[in-house]
Amino acid sequence: MSEAKAILKNNIWENNPILIQILGICSTLAVTNLLTNTLIMTIGVTFVTALSSFTISIIKKMIPRKVRMIVQTLVIAFYVIIVDILLKAYAPEISKNLGPYVGLIITNCIIMGRAEAFAQSNPPLISFWDGFTSGLGYMSVLMLLAFVRELLGFGTLFGFRVMPMEFTNGGYNWTIMVMAPSAFFLVGILLWIAKETMLKQETGGDK
Amino acid sequence: MSPVISPFSLFFASILTSNILLANFLGMCSFISISKDMKSSNGLGMAVTVVLVITGMANWAVLHFILIPLGLEYLRYIVFIVVIAAVVQILEMVIDRVSPALYMSLGIFLPLITVNCAILGVALFIEIRNYSFIQSVIYSLGSGLGWWLAIMALSAIRKKVDKAPVPAGLQGPGITMITIGFMAMAFIGFSGMLQVQ
């Protein structure tokens, strides 16, 4: 059990996929202007990471080393197709909003990274847990990002208005928050805060 | 039906205002890790552009001649990624044969391209926006050039930033993200001139 706990802590904070490894931001930064989209998208990513780690861990002995990358990609693509079909069936509106970014979960480096770094050399259940917690680490950071962007950009949270109308329309223009640059700025600031905190934690670190 | 867009504005929009990297966030991973070095950035930018044009055409053909007639559109993710992997592999072998010098300089970057989300992203955008064949070629070429331009610009800026007194916590990826943010703002500035979508 303590191993599972260690993995959880590692994937959410010490080795957070975004804050520390800067992986997989491509396909998801694009959807962080609305909380709902981000939530659905990161749930999709978590689902795919967890299950593909699980599957790859089961079949790892059967895959020849040389073709393992392509097999891993196919496993990941398989789960992404499931997510895509489920979204189209149960949430067509969100599926349309997310557009090509659902398909782009395939090239999300986190999933491939976990498959290579963990599932390849660990038993299935713990690989599932590793993939799942990596997904959670990813989700937490992106939800934070989406929270700030939606709140400042539209004055809403999950589509509900929390800021007065004047906040977004009356003379102040916060459109920048829903456009691409703000995502880059916010990630930059977030990385700064995370690194600063970590430097403080390391008492007597080398810097 | 393909949308009616003038080829000229599609080309420039895909380089500037709809820059695949700065507006659509695609291809970030290799963008951030490679842009430390200008020479490598140039090589990778060139490779991405070439692969994009070829896979753009190949994926358009596969989609319109195989997947749609057979009603297998839901398999497109798997098919696209296999096409991309195959094109990269073939390209690697051809370049190795024809120009070993180019192979040496591109060598390490070619395999990396398979997992570059920009390549798959362009294929998916082409599909979603229903581009015609000619439009797909223009769009993939423009996106490639846009990516190339962005990575060259960033690696040039990073050379200067490396020497600047940046706070310890902001060094590395942090300041790079903020730099990219400024670049994205500059590119969005072009949207007064032309826009696609």
Side-chain angles (χ1 to χ4, degrees):
Chain A
M1 254 317 62
S2 63
E3 193 194 353
K5 222 173 173 181
I7 290 176
L8 177 73
K9 191 165 170 246
N10 187 46
N11 283 337
I12 289 193
W13 176 241
E14 284 157 7
N15 224 342
N16 186 296
I18 298 182
L19 296 179
I20 308 305
Q21 308 179 44
I22 334 275
L23 284 182
I25 32 184
C26 340
S27 53
T28 333
L29 272 187
V31 298
T32 48
N33 52 6
L34 285 172
L35 272 167
T36 321
N37 292 350
T38 313
L39 182 66
I40 300 287
M41 181 76 180
T42 47
I43 288 176
V45 172
T46 310
F47 172 85
V48 176
T49 322
L51 285 176
S52 58
S53 277
F54 181 69
T55 316
I56 287 162
S57 174
I58 292 178
I59 60 171
K60 62 175 183 272
K61 292 218 175 70
M62 287 180 265
I63 324 173
R65 260 199 97 69
K66 269 199 128 168
V67 294
R68 70 177 193 289
M69 286 294 199
I70 195 84
V71 175
Q72 286 167 0
T73 313
L74 290 181
V75 170
I76 295 166
F78 169 75
Y79 286 113
V80 172
I81 288 178
I82 295 180
V83 170
D84 186 44
I85 291 176
L86 284 177
L87 273 184
K88 278 210 175 101
Y90 293 105
E93 192 56 39
I94 288 174
S95 164
K96 230 177 120 194
N97 283 344
L98 294 178
Y101 293 103
V102 177
L104 285 167
I105 296 178
I106 298 176
T107 46
N108 190 318
C109 340
I110 293 177
I111 305 179
M112 195 63 133
R114 285 339 287 172
E116 265 297 289
F118 199 93
Q120 204 51 245
S121 49
N122 282 289
L125 271 182
I126 200 81
S127 300
F128 178 87
W129 179 245
D130 176 72
F132 183 73
T133 48
S134 287
L136 288 185
Y138 185 66
M139 186 189 283
S140 53
V141 175
L142 287 171
M143 288 301 281
L144 185 66
L145 214 60
F147 179 83
V148 178
R149 286 185 78 191
E150 186 177 343
L151 187 67
L152 296 182
F154 294 111
T156 57
L157 287 178
F158 287 105
F160 295 108
R161 180 151 293 281
V162 287
M163 292 292 202
M165 204 63 199
E166 294 78 49
F167 181 75
T168 42
N169 285 342
Y172 313 101
N173 211 335
W174 280 92
T175 333
I176 188 76
M177 292 315 286
V178 291
M179 291 184 355
S182 77
F184 291 118
F185 290 139
L186 288 174
V187 172
I189 292 166
L190 220 56
L191 288 173
W192 186 6
I193 296 170
K195 204 167 162 192
E196 205 65 69
T197 320
M198 274 171 204
L199 285 179
K200 278 213 184 92
Q201 275 179 2
E202 286 170 24
T203 41
D206 50 341
K207 261 181 202 164
Chain B
M1 268 304 286
S2 314
V4 188
I5 311 166
S6 101
F8 189 73
S9 55
L10 181 63
F11 182 66
F12 284 102
S14 56
I15 297 181
L16 299 171
T17 50
S18 309
N19 187 294
I20 193 81
L21 193 124
L22 298 170
N24 290 318
F25 305 99
L26 297 179
M28 293 280 297
C29 306
S30 42
F31 184 72
I32 292 179
S33 54
I34 302 293
S35 62
K36 281 180 208 125
D37 173 39
M38 234 168 150
K39 211 168 152 243
S40 314
S41 304
N42 195 22
L44 186 66
M46 200 188 330
V48 164
T49 310
V50 173
V51 173
L52 255 179
V53 173
I54 298 174
T55 55
M57 291 193 282
N59 278 329
W60 187 91
V62 167
L63 181 72
H64 286 263
F65 295 130
I66 302 176
L67 293 182
I68 291 182
L70 293 176
L72 291 174
E73 285 106 322
Y74 64 90
L75 283 181
R76 65 188 185 283
Y77 297 152
I78 287 193
V79 175
F80 283 175
I81 200 89
V82 170
V83 168
I84 292 168
V87 167
V88 171
Q89 191 80 67
I90 295 170
L91 205 67
E92 211 179 332
M93 292 192 293
V94 170
I95 294 177
D96 189 18
R97 256 311 149 71
V98 178
S99 159
L102 183 63
Y103 181 75
M104 284 304 281
S105 60
L106 286 187
I108 19 167
F109 302 118
L110 274 171
L112 264 179
I113 288 178
T114 316
V115 287
N116 188 322
C117 14
I119 313 281
L120 182 63
V122 164
L124 294 174
F125 273 121
I126 287 173
E127 188 231 338
I128 284 186
R129 295 179 188 167
N130 240 328
Y131 284 155
S132 71
F133 183 71
I134 301 294
Q135 284 172 330
S136 322
V137 176
I138 295 170
Y139 180 67
S140 20
L141 177 64
S143 300
L145 293 177
W147 201 89
W148 193 353
L149 177 66
I151 196 170
M152 285 309 284
L154 181 67
S155 64
I157 297 172
R158 277 183 84 166
K159 261 201 150 134
K160 294 279 177 201
V161 171
D162 278 349
K163 296 195 179 75
V166 178
L170 193 58
Q171 272 167 19
I175 189 71
T176 307
M177 289 309 286
I178 290 175
T179 312
I180 301 173
F182 283 118
M183 280 174 62
M185 280 178 81
F187 274 61
I188 281 176
F190 287 106
S191 55
M193 285 161 64
L194 33 85
Q195 215 163 12
V196 166
Q197 292 237 314

